[in-house]
Amino acid sequence: MTSREYKRIQDPTKEILNRYLSEYPVRLGHLAKELGVSIKVSSMSTGVSGQITREDGHYLIRVNRHEARERQRFTIAHELAHFLLHKSVIDSSPDGIKDNVLYRSGEPERIEYEANRLAADIVMPMALVQKVLQEEFDGVVTEATIESLAARFQVSKAAMEIRLSTFAEV
Ligand SMILES: [Zn+2]
């Protein structure tokens, strides 16, 4: 149903997450705040999508202001996933983890796969996507369905298409 990364998250944090994953569009700003993470929309170099650092004991996500809003949402979720899964990696460098447009950071690929899977769980909670798909579209995936779901969850059409294609695997 959900990724193994999601299952790895400890209970008190999972309870916070679960509260946010029951409504769309998932309120990422509030979620980050409740997890103790700040978000700053920043001017970043072209080719950089986002970064998470620890500064003065506080976690901060920067997201590139020049990218589309849907893209920024996925980036925030990706950085939050690093926060939830890879704190020691963030803490080990003053630059934390900095992701390029392919969500590659120079860290091992495994770390990026994990962050992408958990990010998808956060912005497109499977149970909620399936519920809307069943209740409002009779479970039928068409171009129009994908577009409508993408708009509701405020993600790109491409991201929603990938998400829906994983139904067969879960
Ligand atoms: Zn990353």
Side-chain angles (χ1 to χ4, degrees), residues 78-79 82 97 99 103-105 111-112 115:
H78 178 99
E79 303 305 334
H82 280 316
I97 299 177
D99 285 288
Y103 297 119
R104 296 211 176 108
S105 61
I111 296 232
E112 298 307 331

Side-chain angles (χ1 to χ4, degrees), residues 24-26 73 132 136-137 147-155:
Y24 65 82
V26 174
R73 282 176 57 78
V132 180
E136 305 200 26
F137 304 97
E147 215 160 284
S148 172
L149 286 170
R152 286 164 201 242
F153 286 82
Q154 291 178 16
V155 297

Side-chain angles (χ1 to χ4, degrees), residues 40-46 48-49 51 62-67 72 98:
K40 207 167 145 188
V41 180
S42 310
S43 288
M44 302 181 92
S45 319
T46 308
V48 175
S49 284
Q51 181 177 22
R62 288 187 179 84
V63 59
N64 195 332
R65 76 162 72 248
H66 303 297
E67 294 189 340
Q72 289 174 346
K98 189 191 259 188

Side-chain angles (χ1 to χ4, degrees), residues 43-102:
S43 288
M44 302 181 92
S45 319
T46 308
V48 175
S49 284
Q51 181 177 22
I52 180 161
T53 54
R54 185 179 176 183
E55 294 171 26
D56 302 325
H58 189 84
Y59 290 91
L60 171 67
I61 291 172
R62 288 187 179 84
V63 59
N64 195 332
R65 76 162 72 248
H66 303 297
E67 294 189 340
R69 183 176 150 74
E70 291 77 14
R71 169 78 190 178
Q72 289 174 346
R73 282 176 57 78
F74 196 88
T75 300
I76 290 167
H78 178 99
E79 303 305 334
L80 277 178
H82 280 316
F83 169 79
L84 294 167
L85 301 170
H86 311 128
K87 241 177 238 169
S88 61
V89 181
I90 301 169
D91 293 353
S92 68
S93 159
D95 287 334
I97 299 177
K98 189 191 259 188
D99 285 288
N100 71 12
V101 289
L102 298 172

